[in-house]
Amino acid sequence: MAMGLAHKHTLTDRGAFAVMIGANVGTTLTAWLVAYKIVGLGPVFVTLGGLWSLAGPRPWRPYGKVLFYFGLVFLALDLISQALAPLANSPALADWHELLSSPVLALLFAALLTALVQSSSVVTGLAVLSVQQSLIAPEVAVWLIAGANIGTTSTALLASAALDTLSRKLALLNTSFNILGVLLFATLLQPVIGVILTLDIAADQQVALVHTLFNLTAAIVALIILPHTWPVLSRWLNRGL
């Protein structure tokens, strides 16, 4: 959406990039909603949204669709949670857990899965649900979430293919930002993440807290350095236009 607005000159290139940064922080809400088991309210949101979009005041009906699709995401996650429950006693689970215990493999697996389903929220929710079901350890889940942050850039890259050069460069800039965020996650943030994973709270809440810390820290760092780097980035974005 940000790239589309930039393509139509409704939003500046700097504004579009700032929206992309903000979207990374906003998506952390999914992990908290799943951790606190709000996904069980999916059918309620679907019903209310459907009724609102059909019978609500006409100017407000589009907002009912937003509520409907919001509920649909959590209804799907709730169904996934129920389907995952029997896997907890599966002998094959140990093989998968051993495979994903490698941070690099967990990262790549989540990145590919996110690119396939085109939703980091789904993969993040799936990681938290897997921790709730004791299918994977929190130490594995946090790397899945980091991989989802890379995989979600595929949405912008695919969308930009049909837009102008500026949009494609913004998509590349978004990808670079997320990759740098994961590098920050894998290096400087590791001691803090280690502390969070030892806190006396539920394992799924540990994962949600790591997810929030990761994206919030990356956003703060980006906003701090953006005023100093934007002149160079702006020249690159607008070169050849």
Side-chain angles (χ1 to χ4, degrees):
M1 185 180 70
M3 286 189 308
L5 291 174
H7 174 69
K8 296 292 185 181
H9 303 291
T10 307
L11 193 64
T12 64
D13 47 6
R14 185 169 182 170
F17 183 53
V19 168
M20 293 176 182
I21 295 173
N24 274 14
V25 177
T27 195
T28 61
L29 179 63
T30 301
W32 287 107
L33 291 174
V34 175
Y36 282 103
K37 299 178 175 61
I38 306 297
V39 292
L41 295 177
V44 177
F45 290 126
V46 168
T47 303
L48 290 177
L51 292 174
W52 189 353
S53 62
L54 290 173
R58 189 170 296 276
W60 296 90
R61 287 184 183 180
Y63 297 102
K65 293 182 179 180
V66 174
L67 188 62
F68 175 84
Y69 290 118
F70 178 79
L72 202 60
V73 170
F74 289 103
L75 175 60
L77 286 172
D78 192 32
L79 294 174
I80 291 172
S81 176
Q82 295 176 32
L84 287 175
L87 294 178
N89 299 317
S90 172
L93 180 62
D95 297 333
W96 273 98
H97 195 279
E98 184 178 352
L99 179 65
L100 293 178
S101 61
S102 166
V104 175
L105 290 178
L107 194 78
L108 292 175
F109 173 77
L112 291 173
L113 182 59
T114 305
L116 180 65
V117 301
Q118 288 293 292
S119 174
S120 63
S121 292
V122 170
V123 176
T124 297
L126 185 59
V128 176
L129 286 172
S130 297
V131 171
Q132 286 179 349
Q133 302 283 357
S134 300
L135 298 176
I136 60 175
E139 293 79 7
V140 174
V142 295
W143 286 101
L144 292 176
I145 285 175
N149 267 42
I150 294 178
T152 194
T153 62
S154 64
T155 302
L157 291 170
L158 288 173
S160 68
L163 301 178
D164 58 10
T165 302
L166 174 62
S167 300
R168 290 193 290 272
K169 287 184 176 180
L170 279 172
L172 290 173
L173 185 59
N174 180 53
T175 302
S176 300
F177 164 70
N178 281 26
I179 291 175
L180 289 174
V182 170
L183 290 176
L184 181 66
F185 172 90
T187 54
L188 298 180
L189 288 179
Q190 280 303 301
V192 182
I193 292 171
V195 172
I196 292 175
L197 294 178
T198 61
L199 293 178
D200 188 22
I201 57 176
D204 52 359
Q205 294 176 26
Q206 292 176 351
V207 175
L209 184 55
V210 169
H211 188 209
T212 301
L213 171 72
F214 164 38
N215 284 282
L216 194 58
T217 302
I220 291 172
V221 170
L223 292 176
I224 290 174
I225 66 174
L226 194 59
H228 307 288
T229 59
W230 189 253
V232 176
L233 292 174
S234 181
R235 284 196 296 272
W236 174 69
L237 286 170
N238 294 286
R239 186 181 300 159
L241 297 182

